[in-house]
Amino acid sequence: MITTLKTDITVADICKGFVYNEFEGKGLFGLSGKLTIQPEYQRNYIYADGKRDVAVIDSLLKGYPLGLIYFTKVAEDKYEVLDGQQRITSFGRYVTGKFAIKDDNDIPRYFVGLPTDLQDKIMQTKLTIYICEGTESEIKEWFKTINIAGVPLNEQELSNAIHSGPFVTKAKEEFSNSQNANIQKWSAYVSGNVIRQDYLRTALEWVSKGNIDDYMSRHRYDNNITELKAYFTSVIDWVSSVFIDLESEMKGLPWGEFYERYHHNAYAPDEVSAKLRELYADFYVKDKKGVYEYILGGCTDNKLLNIRVFDEPTKKTVYTQQTNKAKAENISNCPLCAMGSDNNKNRIWKITEMDADHVTAWSKGGATNINNCQMLCKTHNRAKGNK
């Protein structure tokens, strides 16, 4: 890869023809139309938080260096930002009146309201820019390397960079657009940040069955996202039809996996709702997130509910009672061992060799209290299950 250092390009030069798309949340063009500020392999603009964008302007006013900026040369007199688009978009947005900073008296100041000498100080700041020329593989590898520092790219942002093309462009328009009217509905089931590509990653995770990069590579040059969009919509529609109650614990569950395993099953939404309310109201159900897979699977796997375990005082009390009784009767303090005919029939187990067990299984209405607790040797407890 060939690099050329440029130190004569100013903020004013970059801001000539600056375009910012508020709807998509990204800077598009600058340098009199010669510079693409956010090519598709770049992440969305994330500095618009009133802190990082303001810090960029503060650095310019104080004469602090903004650090190295990298452009790639894509044609004669045409460039793309390889690294620095957050900083460039920040000062471009400020100069074009998209946000204000506060002065020493805490008064908001837009660019047009600054004294002319401060305006000039910003506009005449010279930037340190490397122009890079090389193959796509070299450019993408360098992009990954220089993004290790600062606010690191997350997995999906890196995947977008590696597989940039028409598919990523259309996928980001649908799943990385905070103005998409569907986001509110999706947010009940999908966790994360739209701008940081979390919704896109979820959609890709579902449709690819976890093989995201393989899927993106195969579809890189597709001019549509029909399959991706249809599969995602199918999952969301299925979830919302089975579970008619919206609960916070639904957010971020692996609905794609659940869809694959259970969408051929028939469910009665009213019965599902009643069971959900019953489990949510049960004091002994500690893991509310596990309730959904528990219901989908036919209410058989109690481990999903993380049912409340017996506390240590209860276990010690029951162990002492069972052991004293067993010694008096010359039988094992594990009731199931005592019923057997092997060498453990009379064995007295240490407390560390035993587990607390529900006499009547929780799934059959048994409570988690001392009256429903027995100590079993680990072998018998693990074999007992819900019998």
Side-chain angles (χ1 to χ4, degrees), residues 179-193:
Q179 302 302 312
N180 188 330
N182 291 313
I183 294 296
Q184 185 173 2
K185 177 182 179 180
W186 297 346
S187 66
Y189 314 104
V190 180
S191 60
N193 186 308

Side-chain angles (χ1 to χ4, degrees), residues 106-117:
D106 212 32
I107 298 173
R109 290 291 189 94
Y110 285 87
F111 180 76
V112 295
L114 289 179
T116 55
D117 62 312

